[in-house]
C-alpha cells in the first residue's frame, strides 16, 4: 500500500493527442448546437454526467471514450503551456 504522505505522480500516456482532438471536436459540436462548451465541459468533469455533452456528431460517445482524468490533464497542460509555466 502506498504511503499517503508521499506525492504521487500522475502520467498521461499516448492518449494525450486523442484527448486534445476529442476536446476540440466536441467543442465545435457544442458551439454548432448553441451550447457554451466551457460550461458543458465543467459540468461533465465535475459531475461525470455525460448529458452535459451533446450527442450531436457523436461528441458524447467520443468524450466518454477518454477518462475524465485524461481530459482534465489535457486542459491543465494546455493552460500551462499557453502561459509558459
Amino acid at each position: 500500500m502506498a504511503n499517503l504522505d508521499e506525492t504521487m505522480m500522475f502520467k498521461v500516456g499516448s492518449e494525450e493527442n486523442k484527448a486534445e482532438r476529442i476536446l476540440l471536436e466536441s467543442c465545435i459540436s457544442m458551439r454548432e448546437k448553441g451550447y457554451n462548451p466551457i460550461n458543458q465541459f465543467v459540468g461533465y468533469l465535475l459531475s461525470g454526467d455525460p448529458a452535459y455533452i451533446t450527442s450531436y456528431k457523436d461528441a458524447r460517445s467520443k468524450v466518454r471514450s477518454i477518462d475524465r482524468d485524461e481530459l482534465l490533464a489535457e486542459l491543465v497542460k494546455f493552460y500551462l503551456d499557453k502561459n509558459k509555466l
Side-chain angles (χ1 to χ4, degrees):
M1 185 171 201
N3 184 349
L4 298 178
D5 294 330
E6 295 177 10
T7 301
M8 297 183 66
M9 184 179 286
F10 180 80
K11 294 184 180 179
V12 178
S14 62
E15 295 292 312
E16 197 169 318
N17 291 333
K18 183 178 178 184
E20 178 183 9
R21 179 180 48 80
I22 286 173
L23 282 167
L24 293 173
E25 289 174 359
S26 299
C27 180
I28 291 167
S29 295
M30 284 187 259
R31 284 188 178 146
E32 287 178 0
K33 291 301 284 181
Y35 298 115
N36 179 326
I38 295 170
N39 293 342
Q40 300 310 109
F41 276 122
V42 168
Y44 172 67
L45 291 169
L46 290 176
S47 72
D49 185 354
Y52 280 98
I53 308 299
T54 182
S55 59
Y56 178 68
K57 292 189 176 178
D58 210 23
R60 185 178 299 155
S61 296
K62 291 176 184 176
V63 168
R64 292 188 74 198
S65 73
I66 303 289
D67 289 336
R68 285 187 301 158
D69 292 343
E70 291 177 37
L71 292 173
L72 188 56
E74 184 61 32
L75 292 169
V76 171
K77 178 186 173 301
F78 175 81
Y79 178 83
L80 295 176
D81 288 349
K82 179 182 176 196
N83 290 293
K84 297 172 180 41
L85 297 174

